[in-house]
């Protein structure tokens, strides 16, 4: 029997959340979490479940503006060292957006390892904003170059992290935000007091903050005062902004 070649794995975009608008004017690419190292293919059902609440919220908020929201289905579950597979798939997805929809602004919205992928791929020319929820970032090592931030210049960046996160170190996201802020004033970071990795204790507030930021970044809506204050404040104030209970984008 002839040897069958191993099929090439390809990333793909999931179905849109809600009906696709007739005219697309902005795109959110949802980047699920992953593992530090894994050659396995992710489960599409698990990936979609992890970002479903965020996808539905953003699709509903941007429907009248022509927003399309897709989940990025990775080739592999793992970041896999210098391969940076999740970041490569995020960049591929931005290319695919340009192919499908033309010149529209893109927000990369990632959770956990997907947050790292969004931050790393944020330099894509179609990307104008990055939302990173509880991003997984590598421990700082004097023998290895630090996580890059120059690609974020010219993008609006929001990082959200629970102070009690035991899976992804919130101090590492603060340090990255501080380095990014030196090169790009449009960086802010919110801390969710006493919340863990899943940001479930203040889930409604986190989703409202995400909506506020993304609608402002993609469509120029006025953002809430806490986001304006966080962007304008010098470090460390704008990078340790507390997310208040009851936060709502309608409270401007």
């Amino acid at each position: 029997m002839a040897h069958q070649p191993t099929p090439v794995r390809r990333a793909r975009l999931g179905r849109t959340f809600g009906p696709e608008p007739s005219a697309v004017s902005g795109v959110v690419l949802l980047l699920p979490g992953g593992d530090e190292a894994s050659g396995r293919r992710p489960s599409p059902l698990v990936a979609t479940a992890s970002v479903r609440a965020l996808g539905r919220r953003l699709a509903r908020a941007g429907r009248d503006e022509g927003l399309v929201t897709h989940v990025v289905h990775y080739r592999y579950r793992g970041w896999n060292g210098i391969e940076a597979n999740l970041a490569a798939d995020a960049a591929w997805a931005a290319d695919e957006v340009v192919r499908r929809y033309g010149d529209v602004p893109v927000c990369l919205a990632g959770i956990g390892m997907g947050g790292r992928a969004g931050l790393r791929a944020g330099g894509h020319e179609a990307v104008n904003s990055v939302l990173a929820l509880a991003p997984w970032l590598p421990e700082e090592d004097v023998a290895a170059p630090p996580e890059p931030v120059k690609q974020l210049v010219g993008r609006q960046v929001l990082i959200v992290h629970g102070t009690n996160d035991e899976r992804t170190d919130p101090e590492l996201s603060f340090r990255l935000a501080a380095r990014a802020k030196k090169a790009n004033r449009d960086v802010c970071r919110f801390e969710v007091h006493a919340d863990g990795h899943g940001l479930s204790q203040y889930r409604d507030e986190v989703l409202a903050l995400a909506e506020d930021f993304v609608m402002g970044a993609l469509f120029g809506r006025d953002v809430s005062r806490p986001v304006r204050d966080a962007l304008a404040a010098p470090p460390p104030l704008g990078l340790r902004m507390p997310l208040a209970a009851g936060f709502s984008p309608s409270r401007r």
Side-chain angles (χ1 to χ4, degrees):
M1 180 181 293
H3 176 72
Q4 297 295 320
T6 302
V8 176
R9 290 189 184 181
R10 301 185 186 279
R12 65 182 181 85
L13 299 186
R15 295 174 59 184
T16 60
F17 283 83
E20 186 172 320
S22 56
V24 175
S25 55
V27 176
V28 172
L29 293 173
L30 298 167
L31 304 169
D35 298 331
E36 189 172 357
S38 175
R40 298 177 61 186
R41 183 184 292 277
S43 163
L45 293 178
V46 173
T48 300
S50 69
V51 294
R52 183 178 294 121
L54 178 60
R56 287 177 173 171
R57 176 80 180 232
L58 296 178
R60 183 168 59 249
R63 184 172 297 129
D64 292 342
E65 305 276 8
L67 177 67
V68 164
T69 304
H70 290 280
V71 178
V72 178
H73 293 290
Y74 308 127
R75 294 167 296 162
Y76 304 97
R77 284 174 52 179
W79 182 269
N80 299 324
I82 61 173
E83 297 296 325
N85 290 129
L86 274 60
D89 289 349
W92 169 87
D95 282 338
E96 180 65 9
V97 165
V98 174
R99 187 188 71 80
R100 292 190 189 188
Y101 304 117
D103 184 18
V104 298
V106 175
C107 176
L108 299 178
I111 296 175
M113 191 69 77
R116 184 188 185 189
L119 291 164
R120 181 71 72 89
H124 191 284
E125 61 183 8
V127 173
N128 86 335
S129 50
V130 178
L131 167 66
L133 303 178
W136 185 97
L137 296 167
E139 293 286 346
E140 296 177 349
D141 184 346
V142 295
E147 195 73 3
V149 296
K150 289 184 178 180
Q151 74 279 5
L152 297 173
V153 171
R155 278 71 180 166
Q156 297 183 57
V157 180
L158 168 63
I159 297 172
V160 185
H161 221 139
T163 59
N164 285 3
D165 192 335
E166 296 182 352
R167 289 181 56 190
T168 60
D169 189 348
E171 187 62 23
L172 293 177
S173 75
F174 169 77
R175 294 175 190 172
L176 180 136
R179 290 193 292 112
K181 187 77 172 181
K182 292 179 180 179
N184 175 15
R185 62 177 297 178
D186 291 328
V187 175
C188 63
R189 178 178 172 277
F190 279 72
E191 294 186 334
V192 190
H193 181 66
D195 216 342
H197 181 70
L199 298 169
S200 56
Q201 186 175 346
Y202 294 96
R203 175 176 175 270
D204 290 343
E205 287 85 351
V206 170
L207 292 177
L209 176 64
E211 174 191 332
D212 189 38
F213 171 78
V214 172
M215 294 304 108
L218 290 182
F219 305 118
R221 290 188 191 176
D222 291 335
V223 296
S224 62
R225 182 171 179 177
V227 174
R228 293 199 305 271
D229 289 348
L231 288 169
L237 297 178
L239 306 180
R240 294 196 185 276
M241 186 68 70
L243 180 60
F247 175 89
S248 169
S250 63
R251 297 182 179 180
R252 303 187 185 280

